[in-house]
Amino acid sequence: MQRQWSLQAPGEPEAEPGGEELCEQEMERLCLSQQPVRVLPYAMVDKRFIRQLREPEGVKTSCWQQWRRRRQTVGRRLGEAARRLTRGCGLWEGALYEIGGLFGTGIQSYFTFLRFLLLLNLLTLLLTSGFILLPLVWLRPPDPGPALNFTLQCPGSGHLPQPGVSKFNNLLWNVFTGRAFNNTYLFYGAYQAGPESSSTYSIRLAYLLSPLACLLLCFCGILRRMVKGLPQKMFLGQDYRSPLSAKVFSSWDFCIRGQEAATIKRHEISNEFKMELEEGRHLLLLQQQTRAQRACHLLTYLRVNILIGLLVVGAISAIFWATKYSQDNKEESLFLLLQYLPPGVIALVNFLGPLLFVFLVQLENYPPNTEVNLTLIWCVVLKLASLGMFSFSLGQTVLCIGRNKTSCESYGYNACDYQCWENSVGEELYKLSIFNFLLTVAFAFLVSLPRRMLVERFSGRFWAWLDREEFLVPKNVLDIVEGQTVTWMGLFYCPLLPLLNSVFIFLTFYIKKYTLLRNSRASPRRFRASSSIFFFQLVLLLGLLLAAVPLGYVVSSIRSSWDCGLFTNYLAPWQVVPELVALWLPPPSQRILYYLGSHAFSFPLLILLSLVLTVCISQSQASSRAIRRLRKQLVWQVQEKWHLVDDLSRLLPEPGSGDSLGPESPVSRGSRPRSFCPGFPCPGSPGPRPRRPGSSLEDPAGLRGVSVPAHRFRFSSGSEL
């Protein structure tokens, strides 16, 4: 027997006659819809009824339709099983869920960022191994041939010196400085290849293009993740406020059964409310500022920023002179200490700089949000500027940038002091990477752990003030970005440095997790996951650009070492590309490539890109205008509905008069909608209005006795449509 649809819920008044037509239209829509029955928001009994409507008894479906439906079902189940398997076997999924529940999505995003960097390093290592190491081992290239005959004329000596070779031959120390791996594939000097004319696979071209391809893939991955992590308010507008009532009534997961999972979920909801309230308070403070207060704050900003800028200039100057002194005094007895002088100075600057920044900012009594943001910006500048100055000082010492020396004028680099300058630069970056990781381990187990034990052991005003270490997400992010930037800078000089950095990131995850759960306390400032991810990717993108610029300059313009490496017979590594083009490609293809690299092609390409950019900007502006119009239209529609409600309330008779339609049942009173947007106020809805005479709290609009049509269809079994 076919079931019938009804418009009213049990206990409600009879529906209007027009409701039956709506029910028929809804049934027809469900029958003709291609949406799977399993995803419809109905009870199982109603889903069976819908399936019977779509497939009546006695009507046989074709074999093709049955096979297609069966294939879709199998494919959907296999996809769901694959997704569950991926989530179950995902790296650190359980740990990330625990951290996100206990400390919020902001701190969880830092550990997710670590996993993202680990995947980037593994991808880089895979490309390097697949295009360089495996072909090099498989092909076993012949002797690279005679190198260019250079006669070095170094002042003060008749032979080529060997600076930097210490008499201290401790194996452990050589491992820390990288000298133990000088003749391995860890550094540039160990890679050799024969002439290009006698090889079917160009190791030189693979070695040259692999770092560039890795940087390009990392750039695409970072850009994609940055766009995905854009804050929601950038699309919804700065005045958008997410409704707290919706979070209150829809945040809990009713599938939770375990006590531990319930505790984590409660912490997660609590952290969400704290972030919402903190953002609301900060927005209210900004709205209450007068013009005079804003002008005073602007002058204070300028004064503090000038002082911090002077500190940054002094810090990068110290890094420059430390690197220069370490490279110019390798023959001294203090050589062992000078090996780690530049990394030590960089670490000291990055430790003392933020403390001085915080001290200067706190003197001005800024709000907490302004204090954190200002300090964070200058910490980013200090981190990146220190690495940039380190690269520049190495270039000035090794490549004679801005210096006049005899060997530099003859060979393009300081050939008297550095036989294989690529290995020397790779060793410096290797030491910097090692030092950063050792500093992380030492700070976790020699500072944070004893501090926590002392705070728990002793009591008093001083120990209460000291308390546990505060887990600062921006500081930890800048530390890990610094290590990743050093890895990108060393892709050409130390191709296997991503392998080392992958091990460091893997260990850093567990060290930071232990520090967070045992030795630290969460920061009182909450970070939203979308804002955190966008900030992390932005800083990482700046680090990538900082690493790509020196690499591009070295590959295109700097003379390679004459005594080691793949490019001994080339004036610059990029010269292998024209040589291979001339060897492998026919003349028409060569002319096409030369045209693509000429100015005659660059100018039309620039014009085309400008037109495309103009079209994209125009479309973006048009979309923004359409969004604003839709918002205004939504506000107008809601205001119009409220005006209609006001007019209806004025036209209805007063309670107790003879025209009353009768008493109102409790069921219909409870089912009456109190807002057009349930759970939160609609945009454009008026505020509290004065009650009409005779109305009560139970009937604020004076609508007692008026039955409101049901706003939901129901099956006769009582389930909601």
Side-chain angles (χ1 to χ4, degrees), residues 542-554:
L542 294 177
L544 178 64
L545 297 178
L546 180 63
V549 171
L551 179 60
Y553 174 72
V554 166

Side-chain angles (χ1 to χ4, degrees), residues 344-658:
V345 173
I346 292 175
L348 184 63
V349 164
N350 291 325
F351 176 73
L352 295 179
L355 296 180
L356 294 176
F357 298 163
V358 171
F359 176 73
L360 290 176
V361 172
Q362 286 181 347
L363 289 179
E364 304 296 338
N365 294 324
Y366 285 132
N369 290 318
T370 305
E371 176 184 332
V372 172
N373 294 334
L374 186 59
T375 307
L376 183 57
I377 292 173
W378 280 108
C379 288
V380 172
V381 173
L382 180 60
K383 283 278 187 183
L384 299 180
S386 61
L387 291 178
M389 182 53 66
F390 176 72
S391 301
F392 176 76
S393 58
L394 275 180
Q396 190 180 49
T397 305
V398 178
L399 304 178
C400 305
I401 298 177
R403 300 177 66 181
N404 294 322
K405 296 185 70 174
T406 304
S407 61
C408 296
E409 295 176 357
S410 302
Y411 313 113
Y413 66 97
N414 191 359
C416 288
D417 295 336
Y418 300 95
Q419 291 186 46
C420 189
W421 67 266
E422 290 92 348
N423 273 19
S424 300
V425 175
E427 288 176 8
E428 295 297 328
L429 297 174
Y430 172 86
K431 288 184 291 186
L432 188 57
S433 182
I434 290 285
F435 189 81
N436 287 337
F437 177 70
L438 293 179
L439 195 64
T440 300
V441 176
F443 197 83
F445 295 103
L446 300 181
V447 177
S448 299
L449 180 60
R451 178 176 176 178
R452 188 260 298 176
M453 297 175 66
L454 290 175
V455 168
E456 291 179 352
R457 175 66 178 82
F458 300 100
S459 60
R461 182 175 301 177
F462 172 77
W463 301 108
W465 170 81
L466 184 62
D467 203 1
R468 295 186 177 189
E469 177 196 1
E470 183 178 342
F471 192 88
L472 298 175
V473 174
K475 175 184 176 300
N476 290 280
V477 168
L478 292 180
D479 291 340
I480 200 66
V481 167
E482 180 185 8
Q484 185 61 44
T485 305
V486 171
T487 301
W488 283 330
M489 293 170 65
L491 285 178
F492 185 78
Y493 318 102
C494 190
L496 295 184
L497 196 58
L499 174 62
L500 195 65
N501 195 41
S502 299
V503 176
F504 291 163
I505 291 176
F506 185 83
L507 297 177
T508 300
F509 181 91
Y510 291 100
I511 292 173
K512 292 299 182 180
K513 178 187 174 184
Y514 172 79
T515 303
L516 175 65
L517 297 178
R518 299 297 181 88
N519 301 333
S520 302
R521 56 186 174 89
S523 174
R525 173 175 167 78
R526 303 287 172 177
F527 293 91
R528 191 174 296 278
S530 58
S531 303
S532 302
I533 293 174
F534 180 78
F535 166 71
F536 298 165
Q537 305 304 322
L538 178 61
V539 178
L540 190 61
L541 184 61
L542 294 177
L544 178 64
L545 297 178
L546 180 63
V549 171
L551 179 60
Y553 174 72
V554 166
V555 166
S556 60
S557 305
I558 299 300
R559 175 74 174 82
S560 302
S561 297
W562 64 274
D563 195 34
C564 69
L566 293 169
F567 306 98
T568 54
N569 297 327
Y570 296 90
L571 296 178
W574 188 256
Q575 284 194 347
V576 72
V577 177
E579 179 183 352
L580 292 175
V581 168
L583 285 174
W584 291 354
L585 296 180
S589 301
Q590 294 181 26
R591 287 194 293 269
I592 292 175
L593 288 180
Y594 289 146
Y595 174 74
L596 293 179
S598 64
H599 295 290
F601 177 75
S602 60
F603 288 113
L605 180 62
L606 183 61
I607 295 174
L608 179 62
L609 291 178
S610 301
L611 293 176
V612 172
L613 183 61
T614 303
V615 171
C616 293
I617 293 176
S618 302
Q619 289 182 350
S620 176
Q621 293 177 352
S623 301
S624 300
R625 289 193 296 268
I627 291 174
R628 288 194 295 268
R629 287 196 298 267
L630 290 174
R631 287 178 182 169
K632 292 181 180 179
Q633 183 178 358
L634 177 62
V635 172
W636 292 337
Q637 288 179 354
V638 173
Q639 289 178 350
E640 182 180 0
K641 291 180 180 180
W642 279 105
H643 287 312
L644 291 176
V645 171
D646 290 337
D647 295 340
L648 179 63
S649 63
R650 285 194 298 268
L651 293 175
L652 288 176
E654 295 294 336
S657 63

